């Protein structure tokens, strides 16, 4: 029973060929039972096969455009017609204001005082050392903040890129596995329609 089920699943994977085989059998049965209508049956089979095959391929193309570009053939055709060069369109002028930004400039102004004694000189030097130390500490904090901000931005961008790549891979798999058999079925219908039409 398990072998039969696996065999059935394996055969169903080739459903385009199976469906074409059923259509050919139905066509031959009609020709056998209604031999006086051979010409009409062949012409009808050819016309229907060509039309349905072409529509299936068109549907598959439309589906692929929808998956990849999030658009449809109708919207693409509509956009193409809207771009007809002989149609006059209103000209839109977009004015952009000039933004003026004034950045704050840090300026450290220290007034030198003339030290009289050695103690005053040492105190003055200590104040200058403390001031430089505070400035370095502040600049170090700002630099660390900028580094953290850039690191977070890069991590977000890398994650977004990974998500986009996974989405693209998923779309390509969907296009390949989903529509390949549909396109094959459409092509087989067109081939069968051409053969049936040639047999008329």
């Amino acid at each position: 029973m398990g072998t039969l089920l696996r065999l059935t699943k394996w055969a169903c994977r080739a459903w385009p060929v199976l469906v074409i085989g059923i259509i050919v059998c139905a066509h031959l049965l009609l020709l056998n039972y209604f031999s006086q209508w051979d010409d009409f049956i062949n012409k009808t089979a050819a016309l229907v096969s060509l039309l349905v095959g072409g529509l299936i391929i068109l549907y598959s193309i439309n589906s692929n455009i929808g998956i990849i570009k999030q658009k449809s053939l109708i919207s693409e055709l509509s956009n193409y017609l809207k771009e007809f060069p002989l149609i006059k369109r209103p000209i839109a002028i977009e004015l952009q204001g000039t933004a003026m930004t004034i950045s704050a400039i840090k300026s450290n102004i220290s007034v030198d005082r003339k030290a009289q004694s050695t103690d005053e000189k040492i105190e003055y030097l200590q104040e200058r050392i403390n001031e430089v130390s505070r400035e370095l500490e502040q600049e170090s904090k700002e630099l660390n903040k900028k580094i953290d901000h850039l690191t977070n931005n890069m991590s977000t961008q890398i994650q977004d890129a990974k998500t986009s790549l996974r989405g693209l891979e998923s779309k390509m798999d969907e296009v390949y596995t989903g529509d390949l058999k549909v396109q094959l079925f459409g092509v087989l219908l067109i081939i069968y329609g051409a053969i049936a039409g040639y047999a008329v």
Side-chain angles (χ1 to χ4, degrees), residues 168-183:
L168 182 61
E169 185 179 352
S170 175
K171 286 180 180 180
M172 294 306 294
D173 286 342
E174 188 177 347
V175 168
Y176 178 74
T177 58
D179 288 339
L180 183 64
K181 292 179 182 178
V182 176
Q183 291 172 359

Side-chain angles (χ1 to χ4, degrees), residues 11-198:
C12 287
R13 284 166 56 190
W15 65 263
V17 178
L18 294 176
V19 174
I20 289 294
I22 293 170
I23 292 172
V24 171
C25 291
H27 186 187
L28 293 175
L29 282 174
L30 286 173
L31 289 175
N32 187 34
Y33 285 105
F34 303 99
S35 56
Q36 68 274 18
W37 298 91
D38 285 356
D39 189 43
F40 175 75
I41 291 171
N42 287 335
K43 283 183 178 178
T44 304
L47 179 62
V48 171
S49 296
L50 289 170
L51 283 176
V52 173
L55 289 174
I56 287 175
I57 291 175
L58 199 61
Y59 166 78
S60 178
I61 292 171
N62 184 61
S63 176
N64 289 344
I65 290 174
I67 291 171
I68 297 172
K69 298 179 70 176
Q70 304 297 324
K71 292 181 180 179
S72 65
L73 280 175
I74 295 174
S75 64
E76 290 287 324
L77 180 61
S78 174
N79 292 336
Y80 172 75
L81 293 175
K82 285 177 184 175
E83 294 171 1
F84 188 65
L86 298 182
I87 296 177
K88 291 184 179 179
R89 296 175 188 80
I91 300 173
I93 299 174
E94 184 179 348
L95 297 176
Q96 294 180 347
T98 305
M100 183 180 292
T101 58
I102 301 173
S103 59
I105 301 172
K106 287 196 303 181
S107 60
N108 298 319
I109 301 173
S110 61
V111 178
D112 290 335
R113 65 176 188 272
K114 296 203 174 178
Q116 301 295 330
S117 65
T118 306
D119 289 339
E120 287 179 354
K121 290 178 181 178
I122 291 172
E123 184 182 351
Y124 172 73
L125 288 173
Q126 186 63 46
E127 287 177 1
R128 293 294 297 156
I129 289 169
N130 292 339
E131 185 179 341
V132 171
S133 177
R134 283 193 299 272
E135 289 175 2
L136 287 175
E137 185 179 355
Q138 184 63 30
E139 288 178 1
S140 175
K141 286 180 180 177
E142 291 177 359
L143 185 60
N144 286 333
K145 283 182 183 177
K146 288 179 181 178
I147 291 171
D148 290 340
H149 181 67
L150 288 173
T151 303
N152 291 334
N153 279 348
M154 285 184 65
S155 298
T156 304
Q157 289 175 0
I158 289 170
Q159 192 60 38
D160 290 343
K162 287 181 179 178
T163 305
S164 298
L165 284 174
R166 281 195 296 268
L168 182 61
E169 185 179 352
S170 175
K171 286 180 180 180
M172 294 306 294
D173 286 342
E174 188 177 347
V175 168
Y176 178 74
T177 58
D179 288 339
L180 183 64
K181 292 179 182 178
V182 176
Q183 291 172 359
L184 177 63
F185 181 58
V187 170
L188 289 175
L189 275 176
I190 290 174
I191 292 171
Y192 178 69
I195 292 171
Y198 179 76

